[in-house]
Amino acid sequence: AQANVGVVGLAAMGASLARNLAHHGNTVAIYNRTPKRTDTLMEQHGDEGAFVPSYTLQDFVDSLIPPRTAIIMVKAGEPTDEMINALADLMQPGDIIVDAGNAYFPDTMRREKEIRARGLHFVGCGVSGGEEGALKGPSMMPGGTEESWQTLKPILESIAAKAEGEPCVTHIGANGAGHFVKMVHNGIEYSDMQLIAESYDLMRRGLGMSANEIGDVFEQWNKSELESYLIEITADVLHEQDKTTGKPLVDIILDHAGMKGTGTWTVQTALSLGVPVTGIAEAVFARGLSSQTALRQGAQAIDFAGPDGSLQLSEQERESFIEDIRHALYASKIVAYAQGFNEITTAAQEYDWKIDLAAVARIWRGGCIIRAKFLNRIAEAFESGQAETSLLFAPYFKEAIEQAQASWRRVVARAAQYGIPTPVFASSLSYFDGLRADRLPAALIQGQRDYFGAHTYQRVDKEGTFHTLWAEEGRPEINA
Ligand code: NDP
């Protein structure tokens, strides 16, 4: 045995992770079900570091120094279960199995329980940054026991992205906590992307700007508090020309947004936890609508009357409206993060995880898709204890949203007036206004519920649970 860590599954992600490990002084055992991938990695990258290739799972396990650490990077779902069980059959108590694929956190909780019962450690580890991140430094969110973290820490810190010198990895919490936080990361990613897309639509259709001009705007925005990976790549995407037609590539790409499920999981989980993640939910639904081909074609055929999206602004008004969009984007983005962190806090209570939110914000500063300058501010807000209930309550973000507010309202109002859909801008603003409201119309809903279902209600002026005999003569109220 000579390898201090092993990787099972050498497709795009696994091969990149194995190479990253080797680049940082680890001796890396490698195994893939189909030998060809192992051979290809050795042929093309075998000289990049110390690899120990194996062609059976037994040889792979034997090549690992105890306590063994095996990282699984195979297809999510059934194949991951098969591989976990096959490894557990061959490994010894105290060994560590890491699932670095995209797993749904209840699966991770189940797997952790099963593997722990067999005396081994199971770590569900969220990995963000795609193939390039896996190779050059991802952001990683490991769950599992504190004991397994002690072994994994130096290995994962060696390959993680660095943000201001700090490795973008931290022990998130027990069992499924790591995959949970990775899931919410992806949910926030959905809303970040949709907000950028709504901003683009407002400039393209609303202001009649070219893709190239809008690319320039995003390039400028990337020098502001919006500085982030997604804004940066958006500028590149918009500047790209199609080689065959000479048109902006964005005009040639079919407008059906795909998804692989993590956004949906984030929303489903939020619904069952009772946490409003309206921005993330609208972002998932917007992708859903984009891909409803028959529905969209039907709507085109019916040719609904309505505004065409053109805002008809003067040159001067256009400039200030672009600034409005920038402020609206920032405010809505803050709301999406506030909602995402609320989901984490609520889940932590539900599942008994101790999650350091400031540490989560810090490891998202590098390597991952939502990496952004303002995560430093989020980390500070949680560290100060001022964001415990909501990120929006921290003075920095309270002020930011107050300053953006007038712009945000103009953007949502104009978009509605001229017929450009802005589901995440609008729902984030509604969430903010819902929070601000002294009284909500929920009182009326309670009245309706009590009327048709005798669901009872509480009063503002006295303790107790009440029911009104709404439809009856004299409408008596009874203390239920
Ligand atoms: P894929 O999801 O395409 O999976 C292919 C790998 O799984 C191959 O190594 C394949 O082996 C192996 N595999 C499939 N079925 C089995 C099985 N029954 N038994 C053993 N091995 C099996 O690979 P990716 O590299 O794209 O992703 C790996 C994991 O990482 C997934 O869970 C994915 O969700 C996650 N992930 C992916 C990201 C990305 O950007 N792609 C980002 C973050 C996470 P073989 O060669 O023999 O077919």
Side-chain angles (χ1 to χ4, degrees):
Q2 45 187 318
N4 67 311
V5 60
V7 177
V8 174
L10 303 174
M13 289 296 287
S16 298
L17 211 61
R19 289 171 60 201
N20 187 354
L21 284 161
H23 296 167
H24 289 90
N26 296 286
T27 301
V28 191
I30 52 172
Y31 170 81
N32 190 75
R33 179 182 61 177
T34 309
K36 182 89 182 62
R37 286 200 202 271
T38 313
D39 290 337
T40 306
L41 196 154
M42 289 310 289
E43 278 159 25
Q44 295 179 354
H45 307 288
D47 59 352
E48 291 174 11
F51 295 102
V52 186
S54 288
Y55 295 90
T56 68
L57 207 55
Q58 181 70 63
D59 285 350
F60 168 81
V61 170
D62 290 343
S63 71
L64 288 165
I65 302 166
R68 301 171 186 85
T69 299
I71 302 175
I72 300 178
M73 247 325 186
V74 303
K75 214 174 181 60
E78 194 62 28
T80 298
D81 272 311
E82 282 172 25
M83 193 49 76
I84 292 167
N85 288 322
L87 275 171
D89 287 344
L90 300 173
M91 290 169 86
Q92 304 291 323
D95 288 352
I96 304 168
I97 299 174
V98 181
D99 172 21
N102 263 338
Y104 187 32
F105 78 97
D107 289 334
T108 303
M109 293 175 80
R110 167 181 57 79
R111 289 165 179 158
E112 199 272 341
K113 204 170 157 197
E114 288 166 7
I115 297 301
R116 185 158 32 88
R118 301 175 68 172
L120 284 83
H121 295 284
F122 181 78
V123 175
C125 179
V127 177
S128 177
E131 195 182 332
E132 197 190 346
L135 180 64
K136 295 182 180 160
S139 173
M140 286 174 290
M141 291 145 259
T145 58
E146 184 59 40
E147 196 186 338
S148 57
W149 170 240
Q150 288 315 316
T151 306
L152 288 175
K153 192 172 187 252
I155 300 171
L156 297 185
E157 285 188 345
S158 75
I159 60 166
K162 306 289 180 297
E164 293 167 29
E166 294 170 39
C168 293
V169 58
T170 190
H171 182 222
I172 303 290
N175 52 67
H179 273 140
F180 185 93
V181 166
K182 169 64 181 8
M183 176 189 79
V184 174
H185 161 285
N186 284 30
I188 293 173
E189 174 185 312
Y190 273 62
S191 67
D192 254 359
M193 291 170 72
Q194 175 66 22
L195 284 168
I196 292 172
E198 290 174 16
S199 303
Y200 160 77
D201 205 14
L202 284 162
M203 287 187 267
R204 192 77 196 266
R205 285 203 288 154
L207 302 180
M209 294 165 66
S210 72
N212 207 39
E213 285 170 333
I214 303 168
D216 293 345
V217 170
F218 281 108
E219 212 170 274
Q220 282 307 311
W221 287 3
N222 204 37
K223 293 173 187 149
S224 73
E225 69 285 346
L226 287 176
E227 183 185 326
S228 61
Y229 172 71
L230 282 169
I231 296 278
E232 180 191 327
I233 67 163
T234 299
D236 287 349
V237 171
L238 291 173
H239 283 141
E240 190 75 28
Q241 280 207 338
D242 177 44
K243 304 246 169 359
T244 47
T245 61
K247 289 182 180 169
L249 187 54
V250 71
D251 288 351
I252 304 298
I253 298 175
L254 187 69
D255 59 346
H256 293 186
M259 46 184 164
K260 292 208 294 195
T262 47
T264 305
W265 290 344
T266 311
V267 178
Q268 282 171 335
T269 305
L271 288 171
S272 52
L273 290 170
V275 185
V277 292
T278 56
I280 299 170
E282 288 293 350
V284 174
F285 286 135
R287 287 198 196 186
L289 177 63
S290 79
S291 299
Q292 294 262 320
T293 311
L295 185 65
R296 290 182 59 195
Q297 282 171 352
Q300 289 303 305
I302 274 197
D303 193 17
F304 288 107
D308 69 357
S310 172
L311 264 54
Q312 316 279 359
L313 299 183
S314 71
E315 193 59 39
Q316 203 183 353
E317 286 170 325
R318 281 161 49 110
E319 285 308 309
S320 83
F321 193 62
I322 293 172
E323 270 301 279
D324 280 347
I325 300 171
R326 181 168 71 85
H327 290 304
L329 175 47
Y330 189 48
S332 305
K333 188 178 160 100
I334 295 169
V335 168
Y337 277 76
Q339 295 179 339
F341 275 103
N342 270 347
E343 184 168 350
I344 295 175
T345 311
T346 308
Q349 282 160 1
E350 176 77 18
Y351 298 108
D352 205 16
W353 297 323
K354 285 178 187 54
I355 300 183
D356 177 348
L357 300 180
V360 169
R362 278 197 301 269
I363 64 162
W364 286 350
R365 287 176 307 165
C368 65
I369 305 299
I370 64 171
R371 60 185 183 259
K373 189 170 122 182
F374 97 136
L375 279 157
N376 268 320
R377 297 291 190 179
I378 296 183
E380 284 163 17
F382 285 120
E383 256 153 25
S384 72
Q386 290 159 325
E388 215 165 282
T389 312
S390 172
L391 187 61
L392 302 175
F393 298 174
Y396 177 84
F397 290 107
K398 175 176 184 282
E399 198 177 309
I401 229 160
E402 282 170 353
Q403 280 182 2
Q405 196 172 160
S407 291
W408 199 9
R409 295 187 190 287
R410 278 194 292 271
V411 167
V412 172
R414 280 214 161 118
Q417 197 178 355
Y418 291 92
I420 297 180
T422 51
V424 181
F425 278 145
S427 65
S428 308
L429 180 58
S430 287
Y431 174 83
F432 174 60
D433 284 333
L435 275 187
R436 287 191 322 113
D438 170 29
R439 261 185 79 71
L440 288 169
L444 174 59
I445 289 172
Q446 283 299 80
Q448 294 163 334
R449 293 179 70 241
D450 190 58
Y451 190 115
F452 66 68
H455 292 300
T456 74
Y457 55 87
Q458 288 171 306
R459 297 181 56 104
V460 296
D461 55 356
K462 53 183 172 195
E463 292 277 310
T465 304
F466 299 88
H467 170 54
T468 293
L469 300 174
W470 299 88
E472 290 179 21
E473 209 65 35
R475 301 189 177 178
E477 179 183 86
I478 53 172
N479 197 333

